Amino acid sequence: MKVIDTVIFDLGGVLIDWNPKYLYREVFNGDEEKMEWFLNTICTYEWNMEHDAGRPIKEGTELLINDYPEYESWIRLYYDQWPKMLGGPISDTVKILKRLKQMNTYSLFALTNWSNETFPIAKERYGFLNDFEGIVVSGDEKTRKPYPEIYGIILDRYKISPEKAVFIDDNHDNIVTADKLGIKGIHFKNADQLQEELLALNVKL
């Protein structure tokens, strides 16, 4: 078994609970059907991902309002009240990160799809983000997971050997790319499952 010396974490869905439903459930007074329609039709996952890949939020917002002017007020809320989408740290996973940090055996990094305009809010709010030796934010790099380019950026910038690294992400597509590049991927579902898979790779906790 190859010796792992680097652990790379995704952030949203692994260490940080982020979900636009937290905001729009409030906006639509708990009307789940209306909320689901809006997030699946207007302010979609794909639209948000363009900002994660570096598109300016103002530009993306105006483009969407141009397409759906009747929903302007709801569209603007997406980023005007974006902090309400942050549900807090995923505490059991943060505990794993903290244990790895205390051991001082592994290099710890983060690779996240995140707008560079909103990431500073998370950086200020979650102190555990300071536990990483480096964080690669897609919005800064103008590319995103699952495109191979962003994996190359973190590997090159921090001199990481892919065969000695493990990458944790809740999105299966992102894991597929990591595996193709020789990085051992763990498709995150919960902290217990993550711990088991890390121990199976002889990553000591």
Side-chain angles (χ1 to χ4, degrees):
M1 182 180 290
K2 292 176 181 176
V3 176
I4 300 294
D5 64 14
T6 302
V7 182
I8 306 169
F9 284 82
D10 173 36
L11 296 180
V14 174
L15 288 163
I16 297 170
D17 178 16
W18 174 87
N19 196 324
K21 291 181 181 181
Y22 295 142
L23 167 62
Y24 283 97
R25 190 169 280 125
E26 179 182 315
V27 169
F28 297 128
N29 298 312
D31 187 331
E32 295 285 320
E33 186 175 344
K34 195 170 187 178
M35 175 192 71
E36 293 287 352
W37 173 84
F38 183 77
L39 293 175
N40 289 322
T41 309
I42 311 298
C43 288
T44 64
Y45 173 81
E46 291 75 19
W47 173 75
N48 174 70
M49 289 293 280
E50 290 298 317
H51 306 115
D52 287 354
R55 181 171 67 185
I57 286 172
K58 185 177 188 302
E59 177 185 323
T61 299
E62 295 303 327
L63 283 170
L64 199 60
I65 290 169
N66 187 60
D67 288 339
Y68 301 103
E70 66 272 34
Y71 302 120
E72 177 176 357
S73 60
W74 291 345
I75 291 168
R76 290 197 183 281
L77 287 175
Y78 196 98
Y79 286 106
D80 286 349
Q81 296 192 29
W82 182 89
K84 290 186 176 182
M85 299 180 187
L86 292 170
I90 300 174
S91 57
D92 287 345
T93 319
V94 173
K95 287 175 185 175
I96 291 174
L97 170 66
K98 290 292 185 183
R99 290 206 300 273
L100 290 168
K101 180 71 173 177
Q102 288 166 2
M103 290 185 65
N104 201 29
T105 302
Y106 305 97
S107 296
L108 301 174
F109 297 97
L111 176 59
T112 184
N113 282 351
W114 209 302
S115 165
N116 60 332
E117 295 179 67
T118 56
F119 187 70
I121 298 169
K123 194 76 166 62
E124 183 176 341
R125 185 173 295 193
Y126 304 114
F128 63 81
L129 294 178
N130 295 314
D131 291 341
F132 293 110
E133 294 175 39
I135 301 176
V136 171
V137 178
S138 62
D140 288 329
E141 310 301 336
K142 305 299 185 281
T143 185
R144 62 171 176 82
K145 298 173 289 183
Y147 301 128
E149 291 79 9
I150 198 164
Y151 298 79
I153 288 169
I154 194 168
L155 294 175
D156 293 343
R157 183 171 298 165
Y158 298 109
K159 306 297 186 286
I160 298 168
S161 300
E163 69 276 4
K164 294 183 179 180
V166 59
F167 173 60
I168 303 153
D169 200 300
D170 64 321
N171 185 312
H172 184 259
D173 290 343
N174 299 341
I175 294 300
V176 169
T177 301
D179 286 334
K180 286 180 179 176
L181 295 173
I183 307 165
K184 174 59 184 174
I186 294 178
H187 185 202
F188 177 83
K189 296 181 176 64
N190 57 64
D192 289 340
Q193 165 255 345
L194 172 60
Q195 180 168 301
E196 287 178 12
E197 294 204 34
L198 287 172
L199 290 172
L201 292 170
N202 207 30
V203 174
K204 303 193 185 331
L205 296 169

